[in-house]
Amino acid sequence: MAEVIRQRRMQANYLNCSNGSKEKAFALLGVGAKTLDENPSAQTKSRKYVCDKSATKSISGYDWTTAFDIDQIREQDAINFIVNIGENQLVGEDAETEYVIVDLDQKEGSTGTSYHARKFNVAVEVASFTNDDGEMGCTGNFLGKGDPVEGTFDTSTKTFTAKSA
């Protein structure tokens, strides 16, 4: 079996664009998204014991973010949602949503459209509106709020189901 590097297109990214309504409306963040770089940013702690010359280190948590760089294609619901946050300088809950990373190379269940996924609660930080030779863009970060939830995402119904504990 050949060792093949995983391709970026094997991950799909969905953003809940429901703006606080009870019914979730996940939109694909695909066309227009140039960069979606996940940064787990492990946080460490270090302790030196009297019997050791070297420190003992461990992972104490994560400061998760995903940097984004998008073209302003307003017909794309997820992009319009992000740009609206920056243009209207929304804060607090108005600038927060759910973000799902779907592993399209890891099918789950028998539907054929259900895949392994991780859901993050995020604050959407819009850092800048860019101009690339007259074409408008937007950069920023999805800032993690709490722990991710592992589960499955059905790409046909656009629903996330958390794995039971």
Side-chain angles (χ1 to χ4, degrees):
M1 183 164 121
E3 293 179 5
V4 178
I5 297 173
R6 189 171 186 219
Q7 299 293 303
R8 176 60 178 91
R9 67 180 183 274
M10 296 313 297
Q11 265 189 350
N13 304 81
Y14 288 84
L15 201 61
N16 181 353
C17 301
S18 62
N19 283 329
S21 70
K22 297 239 185 232
E23 191 168 322
K24 295 186 181 194
F26 282 102
L28 178 65
L29 185 53
V31 172
K34 297 185 288 186
T35 303
L36 290 168
D37 292 338
E38 184 177 1
N39 300 296
S41 298
Q43 304 298 295
T44 62
K45 69 178 185 176
S46 178
R47 181 165 279 142
K48 188 163 184 257
Y49 295 107
V50 295
C51 60
D52 293 333
K53 290 188 276 182
S54 301
T56 297
K57 294 187 178 190
S58 62
I59 305 296
S60 59
Y62 291 88
D63 188 7
W64 182 94
T65 62
T66 287
F68 61 80
D69 183 358
I70 58 176
D71 287 330
Q72 286 192 32
I73 302 174
R74 298 303 285 260
E75 294 79 13
Q76 296 290 322
D77 290 340
I79 288 177
N80 195 48
F81 181 83
I82 294 166
V83 171
N84 182 60
I85 289 172
E87 286 179 341
N88 294 302
Q89 299 181 13
L90 301 180
V91 298
E93 288 182 1
D94 294 333
E96 296 173 0
T97 192
E98 296 170 315
Y99 175 66
V100 179
I101 299 174
V102 181
D103 298 312
L104 298 175
D105 55 351
Q106 297 179 38
K107 283 196 179 213
E108 302 252 343
S110 59
T111 66
T113 57
S114 188
Y115 301 89
H116 175 265
R118 294 171 291 139
K119 182 180 76 162
F120 299 83
N121 290 319
V122 297
V124 180
E125 173 201 8
V126 176
S128 67
F129 291 118
T130 58
N131 175 359
D132 183 12
D133 200 24
E135 295 179 330
M136 296 297 296
C138 178
T139 62
N141 296 287
F142 297 133
L143 308 173
K145 294 178 57 77
D147 294 332
V149 176
E150 189 176 17
T152 59
F153 189 85
D154 189 311
T155 56
S156 66
T157 61
K158 295 183 181 170
T159 54
F160 178 85
T161 304
K163 281 192 177 170
S164 51

